[in-house]
Amino acid sequence: MKKKKIYFQFNKRIKVLMFLFGVILFIALKMYLMFQVDLLMKDRRDLTLKLKKISGQTEKLQAEVDRLSNIDRIMRIAREKYGMISDNDEMLAVKLIDSKRMEVCKEEFANKQKQAVKVNLAGVQ
């Protein structure tokens, strides 16, 4: 009978220790999970801020692309800087009757251009 009583007390102590171990393990796991959730929430907040920043930059860049790819703007720059002629522009056709007269006009124009360059180089306008 004494042996049964000792065995019963020993069995009872083991059950109490196992229960306490289970409670401590449960609390430790819960704390670990809460810590992990906090880290994930912080990462999520940081990523959300980055997303907003990048979305704003994307919108600005898209507006810039739309502005720069405007066909009217491209045509205007091509005309001004590169002398592009489109089908809608007025064109003048010159019919040459006398090619000798044309050669004389070219020479006169070239001489006037040389004189204008000389005058500009001399500082006179």
Side-chain angles (χ1 to χ4, degrees):
M1 185 118 159
K2 201 168 192 183
K3 217 175 190 188
K4 266 187 168 181
K5 202 174 195 185
I6 294 173
Y7 177 74
F8 180 71
Q9 287 176 348
F10 180 73
N11 198 11
K12 191 176 181 182
R13 286 182 187 167
I14 289 177
K15 286 181 180 179
V16 170
L17 288 174
M18 296 270 291
F19 177 75
L20 289 175
F21 178 74
V23 169
I24 291 171
L25 183 64
F26 176 77
I27 291 171
L29 287 174
K30 184 156 177 97
M31 289 176 63
Y32 174 75
L33 289 175
M34 289 173 60
F35 178 72
Q36 290 297 321
V37 167
D38 286 342
L39 287 177
L40 290 173
M41 292 301 287
K42 181 181 179 280
D43 289 345
R44 181 178 179 264
R45 185 175 48 250
D46 293 343
L47 291 173
T48 302
L49 292 175
K50 284 182 184 178
L51 178 65
K52 286 180 182 179
K53 182 180 176 182
I54 291 173
S55 295
Q57 290 174 346
T58 301
E59 288 175 8
K60 287 178 186 176
L61 291 173
Q62 186 60 46
E64 185 73 9
V65 165
D66 293 341
R67 185 183 70 81
L68 292 175
S69 63
N70 184 341
I71 191 69
D72 295 330
R73 180 180 175 278
I74 293 171
M75 295 288 284
R76 180 179 51 81
I77 291 171
R79 279 191 202 103
E80 291 173 0
K81 289 188 176 180
Y82 304 109
M84 183 187 90
I85 299 173
S86 69
D87 294 335
N88 299 337
D89 292 342
E90 292 181 21
M91 290 187 234
L92 299 175
V94 177
K95 184 177 180 181
L96 298 176
I97 298 173
D98 186 10
S99 64
K100 289 182 184 179
R101 175 82 176 123
M102 184 62 180
E103 293 298 322
V104 171
C105 286
K106 281 184 183 179
E107 288 177 19
E108 287 176 4
F109 182 75
N111 288 335
K112 285 183 181 179
Q113 287 296 100
K114 287 179 185 175
Q115 288 175 356
V117 169
K118 287 179 184 176
V119 170
N120 283 339
L121 289 176
V124 179
Q125 292 188 2

